[in-house]
Amino acid sequence: MNTPSYFQYWAKAHKAEDGKELQYHLLPYHLLDVAAVSYTLLEQDTRLRNKLASLCGMNEDVFQLWITFMLGLHDIGKFSHTFQNLRNDISKLNDLPETDLDGTKLTEDYRVRHDALGYVLYEHQIKPYCNKRVAPDYLPILFMRLVDTLSHAIMGHHGKPIDLNKMKSEDVFKTRFWSTTSEHISEYISDWSKLAGIWDNTSPYFKATPERYKKWGISSWDIAGFVVLCDWIGSSNFFTYKHEAMSLEDYWNDIALKNAVVALKEFGMLPISNPITYQFSCSELFGFNTPSPLQKLAEEYRPQSQEPELVIIEDVTGAGKTEAALIIANRLMANGNVDGVFFALPTMATANAMYKRIEKSYRKFFSEKSNPTLVLAHGASKLNSSFKTVVDASKKKNLNDNDYTEDEQSITSLCTEWLANSNRKAFLADVGVGTIDQALSSVLTTKFQALRLIGMTRKVLIVDEVHANDSYMHRVLEHVLEAQAALGGCVVLLSATLPQSMRSELIAAFRQGLSFRNSTTLIESKLSSHDNSPYPLVTICNSEQQHPIEIPCASRPDVSRTVDISLVHDKEDVLLIIKEAISQGKCVCWVRNTVQDTREAYNDLLSAVEVDNITLFHARFAMCDRLNIETEILNNFGSKSSAKDRRGKLVIATQVVEQSLDVDFDILISDLSPMDSLIQRFGRAMRHNRDIMGNRLNSGEIDQRGKPHVYVFAPRLDVEIHHNWYSSFLKRSAKVYPNHATLWRTAKWFDVHKKLVMPNDARNAIETVYSSTLDDVPVVLHESWSKQYGENQGVKSIAEWATIDFEIGYRSSEATWQNDVNPRTRL
């Protein structure tokens, strides 16, 4: 055959070694490798193909051909002479010029990257080539607007949109491409378009009247993630280097497509062959003989359509919210709304605990013969012994290796090494557990956020302790909900103490995403007012109803309880309470607001408690030590702990013990903190039914330890209140919780009521403390409320700058894109 001119160009190369043949991969082959991944993945994953095509309003077959064609051009910028001369040893072999048109020697004149050069070529060669084929009945002009939008996602495949603001496309084209190079590029585009068959398909391009072209920018975020995924897989070692010329057609059929199937299978990217359609009961999923009222309600839940849905669950601590959320996730998966689950937790400790719970039941969400992947995603996931065992096993065994015994398959969570290798890819697993930071990163202007986003929007995102987010995280989460709704994902939010103003904002964000997705405009939500909202409550939001559905729910009897509360104003009294309880063989937890305060308390009590019986737990330990402490606390005070494990032991902890950890103490003491935080802490007091010694009782038996009694270490209220009322008492805590009006209201509520009756008091306690009317608060504390309000508004503005501009799409903007190693998920 006559060797086409485009075989002179390389795309990837190994380092040159003396005396050895150069190892490099021709550019046309690499382009076809990535295109083959695209074609194969869309061919195998029909739900993904339908999702992406629907977002673009396109016929599925046409979409598959065109996105594959465009991916076969994703690295076309590497045809530039500046890129080619990064390895002039290869350029010489292929007879490429060594000097520029003016005779200047080409060395390292690579100031414009190949991805940006690819967009230049799109404007100057790809787009004109396609426009020449435009005819009223063949290639609609409107379709090229879609291709324009998607070109930003295709060429910006290195994790962020191409910055075109400082680049004159015309000048770059003239200086980076010889006229002969342009001829070679045109030859490749022509040959590739024929092989891709984009001119052969006679199907209508659009499924309906393309009114949604204004929303194509939204679809480009998912397309960008898809492109990154295909590029990563197509650049893997499964596509070996080849520099001998062969026809594009032979390479495509005999090498690229075959390698793509192997690579996608090895990376765990092929879809579950038979996704579960069965709707499990609570007992089938978790073995509970008597589900809670909330779990029964979850069993009755049925999605209204295959469109996105938001479910908000508000119930007391220990009511079974996690299991209810997973039952709802099962319904959404069985109905075809989503393909998997991601559980987002507030801390690494809670994520580790959830991972252990999920790995026992997640396989039931999929067909018996499938091998779903489970990933733990946070900054120290590799230190989690359970997850590390899975990752190490995947390095040694193929996921379908028949050497696994039936028993090993039933107890081992499956995960490919590739998925575990980076938190970016955690959302590509069938089931993921991680910190909320992973979800927030999907909408921050950080590199490769689109890869997270395309995975997340195929799942039901379950966010636990949603009330715990500060103003910055809350605003970013609103953007996450907007993206989930617009791009087809579902959301379940869990909280025991969610302020109703926050609930309204989260619902509004999700409905904003629904309005992007649907042409009809949703009218303003009608929700119960803050004062009369029932509790517990399940709220369901979708595009089928004009208003969110609110379903009141009873609480589980054994968590419907009264907690007696005493305010303690003297530190010596706190120490005395602890010493007396320890001497009686009880286990105690003192939750302090700062690390330094935990250290001081630890030193104060060392003389009264044996060193082996006192545990310090906070977030500043080295990660390996923190994980060991976390395991020790779960063993000693968790649901399976015995009287021997617990007797006479003391934990002094910060907020790390506050959320989602299933631990139980006989006596709980807490520094004064906001109402929602305290209610969470109170949930660690006498959480499980036990006998007088501390051994677990059977379900339904009454706790023999008596009524829970907690102590709140707080400044006095029966004195003249000054502006430093709190800061003079807990100096360090005052910086952690600067809204002292809220703290005063919290202390006042407990001083008046002397007890907390759950669930009856939950709504009143939360809404009283967070009311924006300050008539009941001492005037000297108003300034702290106003200052905190102003700071909250400020950090919301920071969140706006830190998040993607969803509506304009994946394209150059004024946003500053950051590296994703340490994304700014928290302030």
Side-chain angles (χ1 to χ4, degrees), residues 256-327:
L257 288 174
K258 293 179 180 179
N259 287 344
V261 172
V262 174
L264 286 165
K265 181 179 179 181
E266 185 67 23
F267 288 144
M269 288 294 99
L270 295 180
I272 300 296
S273 55
N274 296 303
I276 195 71
T277 57
Y278 182 71
Q279 297 181 344
F280 287 100
S281 67
C282 187
S283 60
E284 288 172 318
L285 275 176
F286 309 109
F288 296 167
N289 294 325
T290 308
S292 71
L294 174 63
Q295 292 161 354
K296 287 182 180 178
L297 193 153
E299 289 179 332
E300 297 168 1
Y301 167 78
R302 296 293 183 273
Q304 295 298 299
S305 67
Q306 290 189 329
E307 287 294 292
E309 296 215 3
L310 166 67
V311 180
I312 302 177
I313 298 175
E314 300 173 79
D315 204 346
V316 299
T317 300
K321 293 190 291 293
T322 298
E323 291 78 13
L326 289 171
I327 293 169

Side-chain angles (χ1 to χ4, degrees), residues 744-755:
W744 183 88
R745 273 178 167 162
T746 300
K748 186 67 175 179
W749 197 95
F750 289 131
D751 186 54
V752 170
H753 292 81
K754 311 297 184 187
K755 61 185 178 181

Side-chain angles (χ1 to χ4, degrees), residues 301 309-313 328 332 491-494 538-541:
Y301 167 78
E309 296 215 3
L310 166 67
V311 180
I312 302 177
I313 298 175
I328 290 172
L332 289 165
V491 182
V492 180
L493 304 177
L494 311 179
V538 174
T539 305
I540 300 173
C541 177

